Amino acid sequence: MQTVDIDLAERSYSVYIGSGILGNAHPAFEIAPGSTALIVSNETIAPLYLDKLCKSLAGANVHSLILPDGETYKNVGHWTQIIDKLIDIRATRDATIFTLGGGVIGDMGGFAAASYMRGIDFIQIPTSLLAQVDASVGGKTGFNHPHGKNLIGAFHQPRAVLVDIDTLETLPEREFSAGLSEVVKIAAIRDAEILAWLEDNSAAIMARVPDVVTSMIKRSIANKATVVAEEEREAGVRALLNFGHSFAHALETLTDYHQYLHGEAVSIGMMVATRLSEIRGLCDTGFSGRLGALLQSYNLPLDLPAELDSDDIL
Ligand SMILES: NC(=O)c1ccc[n+]([C@@H]2O[C@H](COP(=O)([O-])OP(=O)(O)OC[C@H]3O[C@@H](n4cnc5c(N)ncnc54)[C@H](O)[C@@H]3O)[C@@H](O)[C@H]2O)c1
Ligand SMILES: [Zn+2]
């Protein structure tokens, strides 16, 4: 098992990455005997992994809440369901929420933890690649408002993040590729060495070779963690994590969030931002070709759909 420490003073915690974590006695599962654990998951992931997690938490007073699957359910109604459940099981301030799922479950469960009784502990168990390398690190929690994504939320750091790479075995190919888009983003903004490594190892990555995937996730988290920690001292560094996201958000909005997964929109967004930077002389000429080849090797789209109007995008 590999570990990345997230250095945030008294809110520091560790991310554990490896195989077989869910079914094993991990220190993060050792919550006080008889204390309350609420597992929040969704209809797709619970049938696959909930039993395993429940067994690992034996000894605690374990409850679960299974929400419907999808970004459209990341809203006030489903956040309220989590709060209702906590009240229903008489959870007190020493209860812990375990979020078992992708970024949707992590963000919403994390915000329930941030807000219930002014804040209780939570442990992230991200199961999508995107959540493992991006959403589960940094402490951003929340849900969507009809007027915009993630408009309601809070910063609330988890007590630990457990990345069991075995869960990737059931992740659909398209979702896996979408996660790789954020992996490329994190490399492109600050780590030339890993960018080259991602190029050299693309076949092994696409084949999900466990050791290769573990190294990739560890390095991505370490990079994001450094940016998140620097932000506490240096305002604005975190904006680097938005590489490609301005164009991606325009694309997602104009296609009503139906046509592209977030990572796919980010892939196109990074290409547009890079081509623009080349034209303006802000990055090396030819970098868009290199970036495009890498994204393409991960089956990610590169180009804006022809039917979109550039004025609408602007
Ligand atoms: N907090 C942050 O810093 C941050 C960063 C990036 C994204 N996000 C948020 O994360 C969300 C996107 O995350 P996501 O891409 O994980 O979406 P998601 O949670 O909707 O998961 C994607 C799909 O994969 C399924 N899935 C997940 N793990 C699986 C597994 N192991 N096996 C089979 N199916 C599995 C899910 O059920 C879902 O259908 C967005 O809401 C976004 O706003 C948050
Ligand atoms: Zn993103």
Side-chain angles (χ1 to χ4, degrees), residues 130 134 182 185 241 245 262 266:
L130 188 134
D134 193 0
E182 301 282 4
K185 176 200 76 179
L241 295 170
H245 280 60
H262 174 70
V266 169

Side-chain angles (χ1 to χ4, degrees), residues 107 110-111 114-115 138-143 150-157:
D107 278 16
F111 185 55
S115 45
K140 284 185 179 175
T141 70
F143 56 78
N150 301 325
L151 282 185
I152 300 122
F155 281 94
H156 187 58
Q157 301 295 339

